[in-house]
């Protein structure tokens, strides 16, 4: 179609390339006058499918659009620019995506300047972009995971030439820093530490759609996390397809444990990470998690299968024993660590015996939670061409048995929480019942409880009353206002003037010469009273002179003056607190 400009199309062979080195680019975030003019008064909506990497891409695209002047809307009908951010991990995600694109036909019919974009992992698959433009002629921009930072350039070109563009690059991928970002949550943030994946598990499309494994520089990650801590974020999740690989590409000995430790030291109340590969989960990582109380005792450790033969064909690089040994090692050092997993059933030619091994792992580990999937062949991956004699019915039966087995441990662990109190980071009103709030425990368990909405974003104590296997019902422990007071105290405690005041007060309280002077002042005051009662003028005058001398040395004492100066500095802050509390 003449209206379309195909700048580049994906190529799975090129996507395997791990030879070229990545470059680090600093984005200047340029907004052309054309784009800025177009953005005026227009609203954008982004629909994201898939994993946290896609959610983070959504935040970055939202950052670009807001820099240009667009505002966010959740109302599909009111949107002037829509981005469908796709996932390619399993086939059913694709079906949902196609249905989603279909929804916006009416927007295009109503508004000729409406811009429809499709991006993400699915676009990186060969043939998909062509299929989409053939089915949905109102799609204006198609791009992939490697050129999210070109969003505004593509939009500019589309507006300038009045043409639709397809630009999906298949290359190992670069690292772009200084990305704009409009975060979806004011308390919980995702921070990318690695991009892409080099593991090439035989069933997985990710190494092709997201390119080579590449680590962000430590300073860039720390700077981003520091900003989040300063902005009051309560939780950071370090993200990577395989976080354990962090730093291996630097070839200088940097490891994931190093970055985990450095971020933990920044003082974020909750630190999480995902996903970990069981193959290179080293002791240093376990020790670091055990050492820092703000690193959550929750590890997502995908096992995928319990059968050594299936694991070998999946290219997972560990066997059942190695996985169970790792779990035992984690539990020995972090006894209360919750472990969750991903499991695929129905991998090509999986036998009953293979499947029983998977159930055995589930029983032995006792997962706290799990994501379970039926194997879905992905075109271009090695597993897609493997012989598979297992019928769909058997796969489905295994899936049902797997879910039931996992539920046994999930429910036992949840039941064991009843009667105990846990720290919960409050997300806001519960989706289940707006009279309740909901939040997550350190082990990622969803809890609903009654409490005032102003506790959103706070970490509060909740006593668990009931278990509903996948969620819990509890009661807030303590006075809700006390959590706010603690917060004010914490904020104030971090202010330099408050710190200076407490230091001056401590020096004042502990100084022995001042203690002596104060004792003298009190003694002479008492003598003055006694002599005055006896009408003994001479001695009264003598006591008075000594009192005045002591008072003078008190007033001129440097520690007294320091304290007074610190009090003066503190006063405006106290006035501000008073004003805010009114
Ligand atoms: N079929 C089914 N599940 C898959 N996953 C990845 N690729 C496939 C596939 N082709 C699952 C794995 C992975 C999770 C994110 O998705 O369990 O850990
Ligand atoms: Fe896919 Fe394996 Fe990489 Fe995970 S580690 S993203 S399953 S290839």
């Amino acid at each position: 179609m003449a209206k379309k400009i195909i700048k580049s199309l994906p190529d799975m062979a090129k996507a395997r390339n791990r030879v070229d080195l990545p470059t680090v680019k600093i984005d200047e975030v340029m907004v052309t006058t054309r784009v800025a003019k177009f953005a005026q008064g227009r609203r954008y909506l982004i629909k994201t499918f898939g994993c946290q990497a896609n959610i983070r891409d959504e935040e970055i695209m939202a950052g670009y659009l807001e820099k240009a002047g667009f505002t966010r809307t959740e109302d599909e009908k009111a949107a002037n620019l829509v981005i469908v951010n796709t996932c390619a991990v399993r086939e059913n995600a694709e079906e949902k995506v196609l249905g989603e694109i279909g929804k916006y036909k009416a927007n295009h019919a109503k508004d000729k300047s409406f811009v429809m974009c499709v991006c993400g992992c699915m676009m990186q698959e060969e043939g998909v972009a062509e299929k989409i433009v053939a089915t949905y002629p109102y799609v204006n921009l198609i791009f992939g995971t490697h050129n999210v930072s070109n969003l505004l350039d593509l939009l500019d070109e589309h507006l300038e030439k009045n043409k639709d563009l397809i630009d999906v690059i298949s290359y190992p991928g670069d690292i772009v820093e200084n990305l704009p970002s409009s975060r979806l949550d004011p308390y919980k943030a995702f921070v990318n530490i690695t991009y892409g994946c080099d593991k090439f598990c035989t069933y997985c499309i990710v190494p092709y759609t997201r390119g080579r494994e590449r680590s962000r520089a430590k300073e860039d990650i720390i700077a981003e996390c520091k900003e989040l801590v300063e902005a009051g974020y309560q939780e950071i999740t370090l993200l990577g397809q395989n976080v354990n690989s962090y730093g291996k590409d630097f070839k200088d000995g940097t490891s994931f444990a190093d970055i985990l430790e450095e971020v933990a030291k920044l003082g974020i109340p909750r630190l999480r990470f995902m996903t970990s590969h069981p193959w290179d989960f080293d002791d240093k990582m376990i020790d670091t998690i055990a050492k820092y109380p703000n690193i959550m005792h929750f590890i997502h450790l995908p096992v995928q299968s319990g059968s050594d033969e299936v694991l070998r064909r999946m290219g997972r690089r560990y066997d059942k024993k190695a996985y169970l040994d790792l779990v035992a090692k984690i539990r020995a050092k972090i006894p209360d660590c919750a472990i969750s997993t991903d499991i695929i059933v129905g991998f090509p030619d999986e036998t009953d015996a293979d499947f029983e091994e998977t159930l055995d792992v589930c029983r032995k580990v006792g997962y706290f939670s799990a994501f379970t999937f039926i194997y879905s062949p992905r075109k271009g991956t090695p597993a897609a061409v493997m012989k598979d004699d297992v019928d769909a019915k058997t796969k489905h039966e295994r899936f049902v048995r797997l879910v039931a087995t996992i539920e046994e441990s999930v429910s036992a662990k949840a039941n064991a929480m009843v009667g105990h109190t846990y720290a919960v980071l409050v997300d806001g009103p519960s989706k289940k019942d707006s009279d309740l709030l909901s939040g997550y425990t350190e082990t990622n368990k969803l809890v609903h409880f009654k409490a005032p909405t102003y506790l959103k974003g706070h970490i509060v104590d909740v006593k668990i009353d009931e278990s509903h296997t996948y969620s819990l019902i509890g009661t807030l422990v303590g006075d809700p206002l006390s959590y706010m007071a603690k917060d004010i105290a914490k904020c104030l405690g971090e202010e330099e003037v408050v710190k200076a005041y407490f230091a001056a007060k401590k020096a004042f309280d502990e100084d022995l010469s001042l203690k002596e002077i104060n004792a003298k002042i009190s003694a002479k005051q008492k003598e003055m009273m006694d002599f005055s009662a006896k009408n003994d003028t001479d001695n009264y005058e003598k006591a008075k002179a000594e009192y005045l001398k002591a008072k003078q040395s008190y007033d001129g004492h440097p520690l007294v003056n320091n304290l007074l100066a610190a009090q003066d500095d503190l006063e405006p802050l106290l006035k501000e607190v008073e004003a805010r509390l009114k």
Side-chain angles (χ1 to χ4, degrees):
M1 202 191 272
K3 238 184 108 222
K4 307 265 177 225
I5 301 178
I6 299 178
K7 294 169 75 96
S8 54
L9 285 172
D11 176 337
M12 292 287 269
K14 268 197 208 158
R16 278 193 75 91
N17 175 5
R18 294 295 185 266
V19 179
D20 305 334
L21 287 173
T23 54
V24 179
K25 297 177 181 164
I26 308 294
D27 192 6
E28 303 294 338
V29 197
M30 304 286 278
V31 181
T32 60
T33 349
R34 192 175 9 250
V35 167
K37 215 170 131 198
F38 181 75
Q40 276 304 306
R42 285 190 162 83
R43 282 173 283 186
Y44 77 89
L45 182 149
I46 306 178
K47 278 280 170 78
T48 293
F49 294 83
C51 67
Q52 285 79 4
N54 266 19
I55 297 176
R56 186 67 195 117
D57 280 352
E58 165 172 346
E59 294 180 337
I60 290 160
M61 290 190 282
Y64 279 108
L65 294 172
E66 288 175 20
K67 277 247 148 65
F70 289 95
T71 50
R72 184 191 290 273
T73 178
E74 298 305 325
D75 179 357
E76 288 165 4
K77 292 197 183 83
N80 309 99
L81 181 148
V82 170
I83 302 179
V84 177
N85 185 14
T86 65
C87 168
V89 170
R90 283 167 298 275
E91 202 164 4
N92 56 1
E94 290 192 6
E95 284 153 17
K96 279 192 224 149
V97 160
L98 298 178
E100 185 66 31
I101 303 170
K103 277 193 199 165
Y104 302 97
K105 196 175 173 188
N107 298 49
H108 168 78
K110 198 174 72 188
D111 168 10
K112 286 296 162 217
S113 67
F114 175 71
V115 184
M116 179 77 216
C117 317
V118 191
C119 68
C121 289
M122 203 174 131
M123 299 306 106
Q124 298 289 148
E125 293 178 90
E126 285 176 15
V128 174
E130 293 95 315
K131 190 170 145 195
I132 286 183
V133 291
T135 323
Y136 305 99
Y138 53 88
V139 171
N140 306 107
L141 294 180
I142 291 186
F143 52 97
T145 55
H146 296 304
N147 51 350
V148 159
S149 60
N150 287 352
L151 171 61
L152 296 184
D153 300 333
L154 291 170
L155 178 61
D156 184 61
E157 193 173 339
H158 161 69
L159 296 172
E160 181 199 359
K161 300 183 177 157
N162 191 26
K163 301 248 177 197
D164 301 333
L165 308 169
I166 301 177
D167 193 9
V168 184
I169 317 159
S170 288
Y171 73 154
D174 291 321
I175 293 177
V176 188
E177 289 300 343
N178 196 35
L179 291 163
S181 170
S182 169
R183 294 194 182 266
L184 293 162
D185 193 297
Y187 306 108
K188 301 203 281 194
F190 292 128
V191 172
N192 288 317
I193 63 165
T194 65
Y195 299 103
C197 183
D198 282 355
K199 291 284 185 284
F200 287 100
C201 300
T202 57
Y203 52 83
C204 188
I205 193 87
V206 169
Y208 308 85
T209 61
R210 288 205 168 257
R212 177 222 0 250
E213 201 160 74
R214 49 216 194 271
S215 308
R216 283 180 75 196
K218 207 153 132 185
E219 311 78 69
D220 292 323
I221 298 170
I222 297 296
E224 186 174 338
C225 293
K226 222 168 152 206
E227 244 177 58
L228 291 165
V229 174
E230 279 160 15
Y233 273 79
Q234 298 284 335
E235 182 176 299
I236 289 178
T237 303
L238 302 178
L239 279 188
Q241 299 300 333
N242 176 14
V243 287
N244 318 8
S245 289
Y246 177 77
K248 287 191 178 146
D249 42 347
F250 299 152
K251 299 196 170 48
D252 64 355
T254 305
S255 74
F256 175 60
D258 300 328
I259 195 83
L260 195 60
E261 175 153 34
E262 292 221 14
V263 179
K265 280 190 193 156
L266 294 176
I268 184 81
R270 286 183 167 197
L271 178 57
R272 300 183 185 278
F273 55 91
M274 73 182 304
T275 295
S276 296
H277 195 297
W279 177 66
D280 48 5
F281 202 111
D282 59 27
D283 290 2
K284 204 170 156 199
M285 272 174 72
I286 304 177
D287 293 337
T288 310
I289 301 164
K291 183 171 163 193
Y292 290 90
N294 56 342
I295 303 180
M296 299 297 93
H297 289 181
F298 176 87
I299 300 175
H300 185 60
L301 199 62
V303 66
Q304 312 296 3
S305 167
S307 149
D308 289 348
E309 173 53 21
V310 173
L311 286 170
R312 193 188 58 75
R313 275 188 281 126
M314 284 179 164
R316 289 291 288 177
R317 310 173 192 209
Y318 54 85
D319 57 16
K320 181 182 169 189
K321 181 174 179 306
Y323 184 90
L324 291 175
D325 286 350
L326 174 62
V327 170
K329 210 162 25 161
I330 294 172
R331 294 238 162 100
K333 288 193 173 162
I334 317 166
D336 63 342
C337 192
I339 296 178
S340 75
T341 200
D342 288 348
I343 299 177
I344 299 175
V345 285
F347 188 75
D349 269 358
E350 179 192 59
T351 63
D352 277 332
D354 290 325
F355 178 64
E356 288 303 329
E357 293 288 334
T358 300
L359 295 185
D360 188 49
V361 167
C362 295
R363 290 190 195 106
K364 289 202 164 105
V365 175
Y367 288 111
F368 206 77
S369 56
F371 296 101
T372 45
F373 312 101
I374 292 183
Y375 169 69
S376 163
R378 306 284 57 216
K379 208 171 135 210
T381 61
V385 290
M386 287 181 187
K387 179 174 88 56
D388 185 8
D389 283 339
V390 188
D391 56 87
K393 188 168 159 272
T394 308
K395 289 186 183 186
H396 187 73
E397 280 166 7
R398 285 182 191 159
F399 182 76
V400 173
R401 278 185 67 202
L402 174 68
V403 172
T405 306
I406 283 173
E407 215 166 280
E408 285 169 21
S409 66
V410 175
S411 127
K413 306 242 167 199
N415 288 340
M417 293 175 82
V418 174
H420 298 275
T421 298
Y422 296 90
V424 170
L425 170 54
V426 185
D427 276 338
S430 152
K431 286 186 186 120
K432 191 175 129 169
D433 178 346
S434 58
D435 281 346
L436 300 175
L437 295 188
S438 66
Y440 285 87
T441 63
E442 295 195 1
T443 52
N444 245 349
K445 199 86 197 169
L446 178 62
V447 184
H448 304 282
F449 58 101
K450 214 171 174 76
T453 46
Y454 59 69
L455 288 182
K456 188 174 175 217
H458 287 253
I459 295 174
V460 301
D461 287 334
V462 180
K463 186 166 181 254
I464 307 304
D465 303 320
E466 278 172 46
S467 154
H468 293 235
T469 306
Y470 294 101
S471 65
L472 305 163
I473 307 282
T475 311
L476 180 78
V477 176
D479 175 0
L481 269 174
S482 69
Y483 291 102
M484 304 291 283
K486 259 191 228 163
D487 251 36
I488 294 171
K490 188 164 172 279
C491 291
L492 285 177
E494 277 159 16
E495 288 286 342
E496 285 309 316
V497 280
V498 179
K499 280 189 196 158
Y501 168 76
F502 282 123
K505 179 85 170 60
K506 189 163 180 270
F508 174 89
D509 288 342
E510 288 171 1
D511 188 80
L512 291 178
S513 68
L514 270 173
K515 282 201 173 91
E516 234 173 75
I517 298 171
N518 272 329
K520 196 159 191 180
I521 290 175
S522 309
K524 293 298 154 193
Q525 276 176 324
K526 190 171 174 296
E527 277 179 26
M528 280 160 69
M529 269 158 58
D530 291 348
F531 292 130
S532 149
K534 288 183 203 151
N535 273 333
D536 182 346
T537 322
D538 282 356
N539 276 325
Y540 173 85
E541 286 303 330
K542 227 164 113 195
K544 189 179 169 192
E546 282 173 44
Y547 161 78
L548 288 174
K549 206 168 142 214
K551 184 80 175 51
Q552 212 173 11
S553 48
Y554 177 90
D555 290 343
H557 199 288
L559 291 180
V560 173
N561 289 319
N562 271 357
L563 183 61
L564 290 174
Q567 275 170 345
D568 282 351
D569 290 345
L570 191 62
E571 206 174 295
L573 183 75
L574 294 178
K575 286 214 166 100
E576 196 184 316
V577 173
E578 193 184 5
R580 285 190 188 207
L581 289 176
K582 269 182 191 161

